[in-house]
Amino acid sequence: MVAAGPWRSRPGARTRAAPSTAPATPCATCASGSCLDDEEEEAVIGWQEKLFSQFEVDLYQNESACQSPLDRQYHQEILKLEKTGGRKNYRIFTYTDHDRFTNLEEHCQKMTNSDYEVTSHLAERMANVRRRRQDRRPMEGSTLKSRIITWEPSEEFIKNNHVINTPVQTMYIMADLGAYGKLGRREYEHVLCTIKVDSNGVITVKPDFTGTKGAYRIELDGEKRELWKYTIENASPQVKQEEEEREQHVFKDLYSRHKEYLSGLVGSEFEMTIPGTLRLFVNGEIVSAQGYEYDNLYVHFFLELPAHWSSPAFQQLSGVTQTCATKELGGDEVAYFSYPFTLEMFFTQEDESEGSLPQWPVLYFEVLSLDFWQRYRVEGYGSVILPSAPGFHTLTVPTWRPVELGTVSELKRFFIGGSPELEDMTYVRVPTTFKGERLSRFGFRTETTGSVTFRLHCLQQSKAFLESSAQRTRMQSVLDRLGGFSQQNSFYTVLEAFQKARRRMQEARESLPQDLISTSASTVHQP
């Protein structure tokens, strides 16, 4: 595994700020340019392996400077290194997850490149919750939770869980780029590579392994403008095929056990639909109504179920919102209801050879107003076809109301209330009692009023047909015929327009004189 293997960081030769064809300039400690080879350093570093810098060696050699148990541990390790001949590294060193540099680096990192950046509240909170080692708290996911949802969270729980706080371990590979004789100064320390491993097993290496991209460059400030190059390589040994297969087998067994555990939490009483049935569940909200003439509005609605649709006995298919006063917004009077409702229904098609297309349920509604003198008026009628696609939908539906000729009805509406109403609200579309072939609205006068906004969260549930291919085909046919795609409404609109145009053409043809029809027919067929 890469997480367990070492990383190789190799700074390249140090050069002056000069063209690549210029000869190397000797440094101050020797008389020839051969010391440039001594500037090369290579180190193979394992995960969370500690390599001390010159600054840390000078600091932890003095026992009086050690304050924490970790400092005293580093003091003992440095004494052992001196007894065995000293440290092998000079410029390359590391900061592990437990070092003070890691805490300080993560707490002080900036969100922008501005010198005048002011730390935001979110950045401060994230810096406070980011420290998260395994030895302080168990990794999330390492222990199975007995409760998936916390229904009554406490304030402390909300404070600790309102941001994503994935446990992470961090390691920094550093380089001391100071001149020889001046090693150990903090201002010459530079980060070569940052490695992070979270509890989900995600490994982040920044910057990435060098590969074929060429060496990374660090240019120092100052008069000499020194340029350093370094490469990062993955030095982990290749995993053998037997070990890889063994690991995959372990993961497969772990996932199967976790699946069984989750199934145990859900239980065997999970409600499923009857085979051949589609369940439609709608969590809806009447958000607002706007553009109406009078104040204090409320909405009355009911659901019409077409053929092959049914609902549970406990399901209420109608409702009335609360009365809501309006407020001015953008020149319109808006009433915010935020009235929630829930609808549950089932579709069962027993014979798909029927010629008629299945229809979706329709939600009819009317907007009414009630003034101070308890006078009510119908402000508008409208209808909503429940969306055929699952998910979240926001629909704004325009409304209209019937009107009478003359000013008497409007004066009556203004002074004593009341207005023309529909006896059957389904007359907004096609009345349920209509049995004829043509529905005429000739002479029916209406007036456009305002609009009502709905929010609908639609969920569709159907048991998968895996027993035979015939049942799978039948299920797909049912879903397609139900309009599982978003083009269903446009398809019905085009089909209805075509049928209307065809009826008008037939009516116009029937109204023409017979001799004119025969003459035109002979003219058309004349060779």
Side-chain angles (χ1 to χ4, degrees), residues 86-130:
R87 60 195 183 102
K88 305 299 182 183
N89 61 301
Y90 291 96
R91 294 192 177 274
I92 299 176
F93 62 97
T94 62
Y95 286 125
T96 63
D97 193 61
H98 302 276
D99 289 331
R100 282 193 290 267
F101 175 84
T102 306
N103 290 324
L104 185 63
E105 179 72 12
E106 293 191 352
H107 185 77
C108 300
Q109 61 182 342
K110 292 186 176 182
M111 301 293 108
T112 66
N113 56 1
S114 174
D115 295 333
Y116 305 99
E117 176 185 339
V118 179
T119 306
S120 64
H121 174 71
L122 179 60
E124 292 179 353
R125 296 300 303 273
M126 287 298 297
N128 290 333
V129 303
R130 197 177 285 121

Side-chain angles (χ1 to χ4, degrees), residues 250-296:
V250 170
F251 276 118
K252 185 177 180 180
D253 183 64
L254 177 63
Y255 292 151
S256 62
R257 291 177 182 271
H258 188 63
K259 182 179 179 181
E260 293 177 0
Y261 171 76
L262 293 179
S263 301
L265 290 180
V266 174
S268 59
E269 298 179 358
F270 185 75
E271 185 177 354
M272 296 294 295
T273 58
I274 302 174
T277 301
L278 174 68
R279 180 185 184 185
L280 178 60
F281 190 84
V282 179
N283 272 333
E285 177 188 2
I286 301 178
V287 182
S288 62
Q290 64 179 8
Y292 294 99
E293 183 179 0
Y294 292 92
D295 198 355
N296 295 330

Side-chain angles (χ1 to χ4, degrees), residues 162-370:
H162 77 289
V163 294
I164 299 177
N165 182 22
T166 306
V168 177
Q169 285 190 321
T170 309
M171 178 181 180
Y172 293 92
I173 300 178
M174 310 287 295
D176 189 344
L177 303 183
Y180 275 104
K182 296 183 179 180
L183 295 179
R185 295 187 179 182
R186 302 300 292 267
E187 61 267 20
Y188 292 119
E189 293 184 1
H190 292 267
V191 178
L192 299 182
C193 181
T194 303
I195 306 165
K196 296 183 179 181
V197 179
D198 63 18
S199 61
N200 298 321
V202 178
I203 303 173
T204 304
V205 180
K206 184 179 180 181
D208 198 2
F209 298 123
T210 306
T212 59
K213 295 181 294 185
Y216 295 107
R217 299 155 60 95
I218 298 178
E219 185 175 353
L220 303 183
D221 297 330
E223 299 178 356
K224 298 181 179 180
R225 305 291 293 179
E226 295 176 334
L227 181 65
W228 289 80
K229 296 181 180 180
Y230 69 96
T231 59
I232 307 172
E233 301 174 8
N234 181 14
S236 302
Q238 294 294 331
V239 180
K240 296 181 180 180
Q241 185 176 0
E242 297 178 357
E243 296 178 354
E244 187 175 357
E245 293 177 355
R246 189 183 306 113
E247 181 183 9
Q248 292 178 356
H249 179 73
V250 170
F251 276 118
K252 185 177 180 180
D253 183 64
L254 177 63
Y255 292 151
S256 62
R257 291 177 182 271
H258 188 63
K259 182 179 179 181
E260 293 177 0
Y261 171 76
L262 293 179
S263 301
L265 290 180
V266 174
S268 59
E269 298 179 358
F270 185 75
E271 185 177 354
M272 296 294 295
T273 58
I274 302 174
T277 301
L278 174 68
R279 180 185 184 185
L280 178 60
F281 190 84
V282 179
N283 272 333
E285 177 188 2
I286 301 178
V287 182
S288 62
Q290 64 179 8
Y292 294 99
E293 183 179 0
Y294 292 92
D295 198 355
N296 295 330
L297 303 176
Y298 65 97
V299 179
H300 168 241
F301 64 93
F302 79 94
L303 182 71
E304 180 194 22
L305 296 177
H308 307 295
W309 287 88
S310 61
S311 62
F314 61 84
Q315 177 65 61
Q316 293 185 356
L317 300 181
S318 62
V320 181
T321 68
Q322 74 278 11
T323 303
C324 181
T326 60
K327 60 181 294 186
E328 186 175 356
L329 180 65
D332 288 335
E333 296 292 330
V334 183
Y336 291 97
F337 299 105
S338 298
Y339 181 83
F341 61 90
T342 300
L343 300 173
E344 183 181 0
M345 61 217 79
F346 298 90
F347 173 82
T348 305
Q349 179 151 349
E350 307 192 356
D351 184 10
E352 54 178 280
S353 63
E354 297 180 5
S356 61
L357 291 173
Q359 300 291 328
W360 280 83
V362 180
L363 187 67
Y364 295 92
F365 65 92
E366 59 178 340
V367 183
L368 303 102
S369 63
L370 184 67

